[in-house]
């Protein structure tokens, strides 16, 4: 029976945390390389998940005679499609982030310009806002519902 609980991973944990060397500058070439690799590995993992979901749906696409079986299969498929959609969006975001790394425009808050920070970026490598601006944006979002 198919697993329906698989969700797109919003974070990637399979990496060694970056240790800054003494006197090393924030977002040094080494550091950028670290995040680039991290994003590439994460992307790879997501691509494999998308593949798995697709295979899975093809294998399961049998015709059930029983209408209740069909209904549950449809439900399961729409769940998997949503998961795939989330994974695709995340892959797109990862691509955009890698692009920013290549342009040496990574690791600083889009809003206020301060360093987002290594640990925050490792927890959320696609982050474009510092924690303060992010928190503020979330409060505004809740208030205006935009
Ligand atoms: Zn900020």
């Amino acid at each position: 029976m198919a697993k329906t609980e698989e969700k797109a991973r919003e974070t990637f944990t399979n990496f060694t945390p970056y240790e800054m060397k003494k006197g090393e500058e924030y977002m040094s070439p080494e550091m950028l390389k670290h995040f680039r690799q991290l994003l590439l590995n994460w992307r790879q993992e997501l691509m494999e998940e998308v593949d798995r979901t697709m295979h899975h749906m093809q294998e399961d696409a049998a015709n059930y005679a029983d209408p209740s079986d069909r209904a549950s299969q449809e439900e399961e498929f729409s769940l998997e499609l949503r998961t795939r959609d989330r994974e695709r969006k995340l892959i797109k975001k990862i691509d955009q982030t890698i692009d920013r790394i290549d342009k040496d425009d990574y690791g600083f808050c889009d809003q206020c310009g301060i360093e987002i920070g290594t640990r925050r970026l490792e927890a959320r490598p696609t982050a474009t806002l510092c924690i303060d601006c992010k928190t503020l944006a979330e409060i505004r979002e809740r208030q205006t519902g935009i």
Side-chain angles (χ1 to χ4, degrees):
M1 200 51 212
K3 269 203 294 179
T4 51
E5 292 304 311
E6 272 187 48
K7 291 195 178 95
R9 256 165 265 171
E10 306 253 324
T11 54
F12 184 68
T13 49
N14 188 19
F15 66 92
T16 316
Y18 190 78
E19 292 301 333
M20 276 176 99
K21 289 175 212 77
K22 253 200 172 133
E24 185 181 350
E25 241 180 276
Y26 181 68
M27 288 303 144
S28 65
E30 278 296 297
M31 204 189 259
L32 285 173
K33 220 168 88 185
H34 165 75
F35 280 107
R36 198 174 193 283
Q37 195 54 51
L38 196 161
L39 284 157
L40 282 173
N41 291 345
W42 189 16
R43 189 183 194 282
Q44 181 64 32
E45 194 184 276
L46 284 166
M47 293 284 279
E48 279 163 19
E49 265 171 50
V50 171
D51 256 18
R52 262 201 300 277
T53 318
M54 277 172 69
H55 275 141
H56 187 202
M57 285 176 67
Q58 278 158 9
E59 274 166 26
D60 273 17
N63 284 319
Y64 290 110
D66 185 338
S68 73
D69 279 349
R70 273 208 302 273
S72 77
Q73 195 195 26
E74 266 169 36
E75 201 178 308
E76 187 180 304
F77 274 17
S78 80
L79 236 161
E80 294 204 14
L81 281 172
R82 276 206 299 274
T83 305
R84 225 170 84 193
D85 194 47
R86 267 205 306 274
E87 285 167 343
R88 286 234 167 93
K89 278 186 188 138
L90 198 50
I91 287 169
K92 211 173 146 201
K93 221 165 140 190
I94 290 171
D95 282 342
Q96 287 164 351
T97 309
I98 291 172
D99 201 46
R100 291 187 66 156
I101 290 180
D102 290 342
K103 287 177 180 143
D104 206 5
D105 177 27
Y106 180 70
F108 297 89
C109 178
D110 273 356
Q111 200 80 46
C112 70
I114 69 158
E115 298 176 2
I116 294 175
T118 320
R119 293 299 167 255
R120 170 158 162 74
L121 284 171
E122 279 176 339
R124 199 164 268 276
T126 53
T128 55
L129 295 175
C130 73
I131 191 71
D132 289 343
C133 290
K134 179 70 186 166
T135 308
L136 205 65
E138 275 170 0
I139 292 169
R140 282 204 190 115
E141 214 170 286
R142 271 201 299 276
Q143 282 171 347
T144 59
I146 297 170

